[in-house]
Amino acid sequence: DLEPCQEKPGFQDAHCGSGSRGACWLASASSAKAWFCWPEGDAPAWVTTALAANVHCRADMEDGPFDGACTFQTPATVPKQAKAPPEPITWNEAYASAKATLMQMTADEKMTLMRGVGWAGTSLGKWWYVGNTAAIPRLRIPALNMQDAAGGFRTYWNELVGTVTGWPSLLSLASTWDPDAVMAFGSALGEEFAGKGANGILGPSVDVHRVARGGRNFELMSGEDPFLGSKYAKAYVQGVQSKGVFAVMKHWIFNSQETNRETESSVVDEKTAWELYYPPFQAAVEAGVSAAMCSYNRVDGVHSCSNRKQLQEVLKQRMGFRGFVQSDWWATHDTSLQQGLDQEMPSTDRAVFFSPTSLGSQPATATDDAATRILAVVHRMNLSSSKGCAPPGCETMFRTNVTTPPHVALARSLAMESIVLLKNKDAALPILPESVKSVAVIGSAAVATAYNPNGGDQGANGWSYGDYYSGGGSGHVVAGNLVNTLSGIKKRAALAGIRVIESTTDDVVQGVAAAKEADVAVVVGGTTSGESMDRANLNLDHNIDQLIMAVASVNRRTVVLTQIPGAVLMPWRDHVAAILALFLGGQETGTAWGAVLFGDHAPTGRLPITIPATEADTIAPGNGPVVAYTEGMSTGYRNRDFIYAFPFGHGLTYTVFDYLKLKARSCSGDPDATQQIVVCIDVPVKNVGSRSARTVAQLYLEFAAEVGHPAPILKGFQRTGILPPGKSSAVTFRLSRHDLSFYVADQSKWVEATVATAHIGESSEDIRQIVHLSKNVGTTEWIAGDSKPVVRHGVVSTPPPTSALRGQSKQPTLNEAPAMASSSAGETVAAPGNGPGGCSTSSLEEDCRATKCCSEPGMQCYRKNPWWAVCRTSCTAGQINPLEKKQFQTVWDCEPLGVRSPLAPAQPLAPQLTPSQVPHSSTPPATRVIAVEGGDDSGHITLRMKASDVPPNWQQGADIKILGSGGSEYEAEIVHMGDKPQVTTRPENNEHQQRKRSGVSPMVAVWAGILCLPMFLALMAWSWWQVMVRTAADEHGTKRTSFGCWMHSQAANLLEAVTELSTGFAKLAASVIAVQTKLGKRAAIADQPQHTPGGNKRPRGSPTQSPLIQ
């Protein structure tokens, strides 16, 4: 599973002899001595996985370090999975030992396990760990030395800076979509903590994101999805605890914001809790996590650390958690031993509730249970045999340098793997010396230093602040061996012989000057966040948006690098060539950027969150005493009213992939030893580009409407191996009964569904294949229906739970396709349905192919926006007139469906498909054309349905009801039924036209008419031409000749010129355009709401919009 050596920079045959199997490669190599090669049949023992081989080449070679590992063989199309580390002793065995030890303990010794030491007020004693309990030497019970944080050993004192690795943040690791990488990180992290004398890690942080501005989002590895978080939680716990260090999952529970975090009360319904917020914690419990940390906030009015329902009933009883519960620091508010709290931290004079007196007043059974739980962890993790220390005698271990070349190499690999390529227009990346001679690096973030908050009590210098490499607060690690962005780019550019022009301020004038001088302009922007406060907004720092826009205006090849702690706004995204995101990448940030920008590593990261179009497309922190999660599961990508700049799961690379016909089958097996597998879905994924790379196939399950899910939800993902051009890999998704189940609050249990639809693709919005699944009546067996290809690059094909048209003789099922629609101008288009995905069951691409126009020579299927497709001739870019372009609200002028992504208008190295290469049905189904008049001022709307799907009670003149996306019904009449479309125009809305005319005096109108007479005549001529062309197009199967395209472009140029003359007569121009609208303008398209190019969601529902378009 390594990339081909032949694709590495500067490759020469002389680097390795014939018969070589693989090598450690170096970008600057000019001779055979510069590469380390191994022959066929004699691979080193460390060549196990791609991650392990790359780390070894970058760190452990005598002649190294190298830039990575590569292969001369055909890469493995299925990556080799890392083996899970051996489990510690069982919980039953640990409890037996714990109870034996408990019988030897005094009451005071039991209480010693249950309260912290080492703090005086809010100050931690020197050479004490953040969390400590005293040792009990006579029983060989060691001190519990627990240290922040989940993402790295906290550099609490200046003496620690540079002695530990500055890892990428946990959110950055979430971007890898690779649990094996998280397990490798956990193992290395465990080694560093153990080397520092700590036997406990205060992590992982697994809360699911709710608030986009959350101050601690950077350290929450679940991102915004519970399934993703569950896979990571398991891998993290296994990796850390394999090194004899116990893990503490946090923060239990509903700790979604920092605003009023110690006082607010989270209110969450039971279904949402079990389906959205509990799963990552449940996964950590099943992985054997040792402890849980309860949070500051209240739940249903009761402090989390005193909440019997959440601690005893949910966590310990229903989830089966067998470790101990400790409080967050100073989060204890009473002696809540019987409520489920087992250990108070840090037990200082600021607040002590687990004093000997208080604990002595508790029932003996309660203290024994808490002590037993802590002792069980001591025995299960074999802490008595670990090489530790007892504070304050731990200075030597604190000063030990535990960072190593392999750890630095791993940090570099993880940072590279986590970079997400969001956009790459016109193959702006990678930067190759054949076409690029100079690069400008612009922005102060490119040379940002690491922030060191260390003061006497960690508060004197702003302990909650972070930097562009690590977030702030208890999770902050000072990157002592930092490679900043400029350094990393300069080093890699030098190897390629490319000149670097520096403008490392945020001054617009300087930045523009540098951009003008360079072939490529790289603008670096960043922001950060920290504990105790949420972000004030989602903007990048230092008004960098203005700088980006200015640079992009003078350099068409502008690349934006973002170093961020979570979601940010990108208002300039349509004006730049490429965008990349790194969620605080740690000390190797610069090296990672250099490797990706110059093509040493094809991007592999995927978004674990959504990037919103505006701040209104997110959930804000609650400011009141009660924070009600009234949105239920509609957070992140599951909220169908939010508009996204880039969707959950999105990420590009330097090639493109096709998803071939899938095969679903019943299967069995229990690979995780926890859940029963019942359905397997095999999907061949093929590299149709010209460079080797990997992708991440994703599966989203949609259930019936009554289940109550707002959208299809992630239930599977798999990274492919490295796929060379033309090669494919069979990705297999294994669905368990639990995956196919949903939570029923009334019954307080999970219920297995009977039908579901699997959506498989590249992101939550880029779905390529769907298949319907159903459970055999009276059996436990699942069966699959026929699979269907879905429009590529950006449109989810989601079956609607209810019909978009009411009055039918039956309601459509999950396996039925709704109708197609047509604009009145005669171009056949695909109409969206009313389902969670905002589109019809049949894909737009398929709908286009099903019409005659796209099966005729010279016709192609084009997308006007994420939910609207059209058949038209192959006009070249620029031959669509400006008015038509404005109506379509899109950046895909005359662009064939399936070639480009709406999120990245040009995939690098992507093959350009001709009409003959686009697959289509050889025998389109017989269709009926139904013209509907009515709705909410919708004019004439034409439906194109399979003849077999037309309800028998539908007749010309019949009244039906149209259902809008907001749930409103509209009366409508069937005015035409036949085999061919009927040319219709939109009736004038007199009230609307009156509003347009209001406020214009008669004298102004007269003078405006005289001065604008040439413009008026030109517009009338253009309108006449539109009517003639469109009428002819309708009568001849929507064909247009090349002469027609030429005339179209000439009319466009004329219109653009006269439009500029009408600037001072806007109101009159609006009236004239309204006249033109009556003569030929597409009614349905004109009513569409504004959308951000690159956006991917349906509009917010409104009864004032055309229901069928919604």
Side-chain angles (χ1 to χ4, degrees):
D1 186 29
L2 293 169
E3 295 181 1
C5 293
Q6 294 86 344
E7 294 184 4
K8 294 306 172 185
F11 168 77
Q12 300 177 18
D13 291 333
H15 284 152
C16 297
S18 61
S20 295
R21 178 180 179 183
C24 292
W25 64 275
L26 194 63
S28 60
S30 58
S31 65
K33 295 181 180 179
W35 284 34
F36 172 80
C37 310
W38 58 85
E40 178 68 31
D42 191 25
W46 41 264
V47 182
T48 54
T49 65
L51 184 64
N54 277 306
V55 167
H56 197 95
C57 286
R58 291 166 183 159
D60 285 352
M61 301 302 298
E62 293 182 1
D63 297 329
F66 294 89
D67 289 316
C70 61
T71 181
F72 287 99
Q73 296 183 323
T74 300
T77 57
V78 178
K80 186 175 181 179
Q81 301 296 311
K83 293 183 178 180
E87 289 285 333
I89 64 173
T90 67
W91 279 110
N92 287 340
E93 293 171 326
Y95 265 78
S97 298
K99 290 176 180 177
T101 302
L102 186 71
M103 294 177 63
Q104 305 175 51
M105 299 182 73
T106 66
D108 287 342
E109 287 173 335
K110 295 176 186 178
M111 297 176 191
T112 297
L113 298 172
M114 300 162 61
R115 61 178 186 267
V117 293
W119 287 76
T122 58
S123 295
L124 177 64
K126 194 67 176 281
W127 309 125
W128 287 76
Y129 298 90
V130 171
N132 314 267
T133 63
I136 307 174
R138 82 175 183 88
L139 297 175
R140 296 187 68 248
I141 299 174
L144 297 187
N145 301 336
M146 297 165 283
Q147 183 73 1
D148 288 324
F153 194 92
R154 182 179 178 184
T155 48
Y156 204 93
W157 297 295
N158 287 321
E159 293 89 339
L160 306 182
V161 176
T163 67
V164 298
T165 305
W167 301 97
S169 72
L170 291 190
L171 185 59
S172 183
L173 294 182
S175 302
T176 66
W177 287 60
D178 185 3
D180 288 347
V182 173
M183 185 182 296
F185 162 75
S187 178
L189 190 66
E191 290 178 357
E192 294 203 358
F193 272 65
K196 289 285 191 181
N199 52 21
I201 291 180
L202 300 176
S205 307
V206 298
D207 296 271
V208 175
H209 293 200
R210 175 178 181 263
V211 175
R213 291 196 275 122
R216 302 187 75 172
N217 283 1
F218 70 91
E219 56 178 313
L220 305 181
M221 68 192 312
S222 294
E224 64 185 33
D225 187 80
F227 184 86
L228 189 68
S230 296
K231 297 300 182 183
Y232 291 150
K234 176 183 177 181
Y236 183 105
V237 170
Q238 289 178 335
V240 164
Q241 296 193 161
S242 70
K243 300 304 177 180
V245 178
F246 68 86
V248 182
M249 65 179 185
K250 61 183 186 182
H251 299 86
W252 180 264
I253 184 66
F254 310 136
N255 182 212
S256 299
Q257 63 180 58
E258 294 298 284
T259 302
N260 301 328
R261 68 174 184 173
E262 296 189 21
T263 58
E264 66 91 357
S265 177
S266 299
V267 179
V268 186
D269 68 271
E270 186 176 353
K271 179 180 177 66
T272 299
W274 279 100
E275 294 212 42
L276 184 56
Y277 295 106
Y278 288 163
F281 292 94
Q282 178 74 72
V285 170
E286 293 171 357
V289 71
S290 297
M293 182 187 297
C294 50
S295 52
Y296 290 112
N297 57 287
R298 302 170 188 255
V299 178
D300 296 327
V302 180
H303 283 105
S304 178
C305 293
S306 304
N307 198 304
R308 177 187 292 274
K309 176 182 177 181
Q310 296 299 329
L311 297 180
Q312 291 284 24
E313 297 177 17
V314 175
L315 181 60
K316 293 184 176 181
Q317 296 174 17
R318 294 192 62 182
M319 286 190 181
F321 174 61
R322 305 192 71 181
F324 66 91
V325 176
Q326 70 174 193
S327 71
D328 205 336
W329 272 228
W330 300 287
T332 307
H333 294 273
D334 54 46
T335 309
S336 46
L337 200 62
Q338 297 181 72
Q339 285 72 36
L341 182 64
D342 302 307
Q343 186 182 79
E344 180 188 29
M345 281 290 157
S347 295
T348 69
D349 51 8
R350 171 180 168 181
V352 180
F353 294 95
F354 275 37
S355 65
T357 302
S358 298
L359 291 175
S361 65
Q362 299 295 305
T365 54
T367 55
D368 283 354
D369 179 71
T372 301
R373 286 177 172 273
I374 299 170
L375 288 171
V377 170
V378 172
H379 287 290
R380 187 168 184 265
M381 298 304 301
N382 195 22
L383 299 184
S384 299
S385 300
S386 62
K387 297 179 180 178
C389 60
C394 294
E395 179 179 356
T396 299
M397 299 202 77
F398 266 112
R399 289 182 178 274
T400 301
N401 189 341
V402 294
T403 187
T404 64
H407 287 185
V408 173
L410 178 59
R412 173 185 172 187
S413 293
L414 294 174
M416 289 166 49
E417 294 279 351
S418 68
I419 289 175
V420 185
L421 177 61
L422 299 176
K423 178 180 179 179
N424 195 22
K425 181 180 179 181
D426 298 331
L429 296 175
I431 298 172
L432 302 175
E434 294 81 4
S435 58
V436 177
K437 303 303 178 184
S438 59
V439 173
V441 179
I442 302 167
S444 63
V447 292
T449 58
Y451 173 67
N452 188 343
N454 297 327
D457 60 357
Q458 283 283 304
N461 297 325
W463 77 286
S464 63
Y465 299 152
D467 52 39
Y468 297 155
Y469 315 103
S470 176
S474 60
H476 187 68
V477 177
V478 181
N481 301 294
L482 175 65
V483 181
N484 66 34
T485 302
L486 177 63
S487 298
I489 293 176
K490 288 179 66 176
K491 181 179 179 180
R492 185 59 185 85
L495 297 178
I498 296 175
R499 181 169 66 100
V500 174
I501 303 163
E502 302 177 25
S503 176
T504 55
T505 71
D506 300 313
D507 182 80
V508 173
V509 175
Q510 295 181 19
V512 168
K516 287 181 177 179
E517 189 179 348
D519 296 326
V520 176
V522 177
V523 184
V524 187
T527 189
T528 190
S529 66
E531 185 176 353
S532 80
M533 66 182 74
D534 292 319
R535 293 157 63 190
N537 53 57
L538 296 180
N539 299 329
L540 295 173
D541 293 344
H542 309 309
N543 197 27
I544 198 72
D545 294 343
Q546 180 182 357
L547 175 61
I548 293 172
M549 289 293 289
V551 169
S553 68
V554 299
N555 191 315
R556 61 182 297 273
R557 200 167 174 181
T558 295
V559 177
V560 179
L561 311 183
T562 60
Q563 298 170 196
I564 50 181
V568 295
L569 300 182
M570 300 179 178
W572 31 261
R573 62 188 180 277
D574 300 323
H575 303 274
V576 301
I579 308 170
L580 301 95
L582 178 55
F583 295 103
L584 305 184
Q587 70 179 55
E588 291 296 304
T589 290
T591 310
W593 281 131
V596 170
L597 290 176
F598 291 89
D600 299 343
H601 174 76
T604 50
R606 298 292 185 271
L607 286 176
I609 59 173
T610 52
I611 301 297
T614 69
E615 201 157 315
D617 299 302
T618 66
I619 295 175
N623 291 315
V626 176
V627 177
Y629 291 40
T630 54
E631 74 282 350
M633 294 180 65
S634 295
T635 62
Y637 73 93
R638 292 167 295 273
N639 192 312
R640 310 313 290 180
D641 289 329
F642 288 166
I643 299 175
Y644 309 133
F646 301 104
F648 176 83
H650 171 67
L652 306 175
T653 189
Y654 296 149
T655 189
V656 288
F657 297 92
D658 201 0
Y659 283 61
L660 309 180
K661 185 175 178 61
L662 63 81
K663 178 181 179 182
R665 53 190 168 85
S666 296
C667 61
S668 59
D670 195 10
D672 294 331
T674 56
Q675 298 178 0
Q676 182 183 4
I677 304 299
V678 291
V679 176
C680 292
I681 302 176
D682 305 311
V683 189
V685 179
K686 185 177 182 179
N687 184 344
V688 294
S690 59
R691 163 155 183 172
S692 298
R694 72 171 84 242
T695 190
V696 180
Q698 302 161 39
L699 182 149
Y700 298 82
L701 271 186
E702 177 193 8
F703 295 107
E706 57 267 23
V707 170
H709 290 175
I713 56 178
L714 182 70
K715 287 296 181 180
F717 63 90
Q718 183 175 321
R719 284 163 51 103
T720 67
I722 296 295
L723 297 180
K727 297 296 182 181
S728 61
S729 172
V731 173
T732 298
F733 295 101
R734 295 175 174 84
L735 297 177
S736 68
R737 293 200 184 280
H738 185 74
D739 293 330
L740 293 160
S741 299
F742 56 93
Y743 192 84
V744 179
D746 292 344
Q747 304 176 35
S748 293
K749 68 176 184 179
W750 292 88
V751 174
E752 190 173 350
T754 56
V755 294
T757 300
H759 304 251
I760 297 170
E762 294 273 287
S763 76
S764 62
E765 297 302 308
D766 185 0
I767 299 301
R768 312 294 183 84
Q769 295 277 332
I770 63 172
V771 62
H772 302 298
L773 309 171
S774 60
K775 189 177 179 182
N776 264 343
V777 179
T779 72
T780 60
E781 180 185 13
W782 281 80
I783 58 175
D786 294 334
S787 64
K788 298 183 65 176
V790 180
V791 57
R792 288 188 280 172
H793 302 309
V795 179
V796 182
S797 176
T798 305
T802 57
S803 175
L805 292 175
R806 293 189 177 177
Q808 298 186 17
S809 59
K810 63 175 184 174
Q811 294 294 321
T813 66
L814 285 172
N815 290 311
E816 292 180 329
M820 293 173 58
S822 175
S823 69
S824 59
E827 291 182 333
T828 303
V829 297
N834 198 33
C839 295
S840 62
T841 302
S842 53
S843 70
L844 299 185
E845 184 177 14
E846 185 179 28
D847 285 344
C848 263
R849 292 199 309 268
T851 63
K852 292 182 179 180
C853 78
C854 282
S855 64
E856 296 183 11
M859 301 302 295
Q860 291 187 20
C861 190
Y862 294 88
R863 182 164 60 230
K864 296 179 179 180
N865 56 40
W867 66 92
W868 200 268
V870 63
C871 292
R872 57 160 51 247
T873 53
S874 304
C875 299
T876 59
Q879 288 183 325
I880 294 182
N881 69 71
L883 182 60
E884 188 177 44
K885 177 178 178 181
K886 181 179 180 182
Q887 292 173 359
F888 292 173
Q889 300 166 7
T890 180
V891 296
W892 307 293
D893 299 344
C894 274
E895 185 173 359
L897 194 66
V899 174
R900 292 184 180 180
S901 164
L903 302 174
Q907 292 276 9
L909 308 178
Q912 299 298 310
L913 303 181
T914 65
S916 62
Q917 292 174 308
V918 178
H920 61 272
S921 303
S922 57
T923 56
T927 60
R928 294 283 285 170
V929 179
I930 301 99
V932 178
E933 184 175 70
D936 180 42
D937 187 35
S938 58
H940 284 67
I941 297 176
T942 302
L943 306 178
R944 185 179 295 273
M945 302 177 63
K946 293 181 181 179
S948 58
D949 289 342
V950 178
N953 61 335
W954 278 26
Q955 299 177 3
Q956 187 162 326
D959 292 328
I960 62 174
K961 291 183 178 180
I962 299 177
L963 177 65
S965 66
S968 301
E969 291 185 355
Y970 306 106
E971 298 291 338
E973 179 184 3
I974 297 177
V975 296
H976 170 74
M977 292 187 69
D979 297 325
K980 295 182 179 180
Q982 179 185 52
V983 178
T984 60
T985 59
R986 177 181 181 137
E988 179 180 349
N989 183 331
N990 293 326
E991 181 181 354
H992 179 64
Q993 297 298 330
Q994 184 63 37
R995 284 199 304 267
K996 284 190 175 184
R997 288 192 294 266
S998 64
V1000 182
S1001 67
M1003 186 61 66
V1004 171
V1006 170
W1007 280 107
I1010 294 173
L1011 294 175
C1012 293
L1013 181 61
M1015 179 193 73
F1016 178 79
L1017 293 175
L1019 284 172
M1020 291 298 294
W1022 181 83
S1023 300
W1024 173 83
W1025 174 255
Q1026 290 281 30
V1027 172
M1028 296 297 294
V1029 170
R1030 292 169 192 245
T1031 302
D1034 181 61
E1035 293 176 351
H1036 297 86
T1038 71
K1039 281 188 178 179
R1040 290 180 183 172
T1041 64
S1042 59
F1043 173 75
C1045 277
W1046 179 82
M1047 287 296 294
H1048 215 61
S1049 65
Q1050 300 310 306
N1053 294 336
L1054 177 60
L1055 177 64
E1056 185 174 7
V1058 297
T1059 299
E1060 291 181 358
L1061 296 175
S1062 66
T1063 302
F1065 309 98
K1067 294 185 181 293
L1068 181 61
S1071 300
V1072 175
I1073 291 175
V1075 173
Q1076 180 270 333
T1077 299
K1078 294 178 58 179
L1079 295 175
K1081 188 176 179 182
R1082 293 179 180 82
I1085 301 297
D1087 273 350
Q1088 291 189 69
Q1090 291 291 335
H1091 274 264
T1092 304
N1096 42 53
K1097 307 300 295 182
R1098 65 176 174 83
R1100 292 180 174 87
S1102 172
T1104 63
Q1105 298 165 350
S1106 175
L1108 287 178
I1109 293 177
Q1110 290 185 56

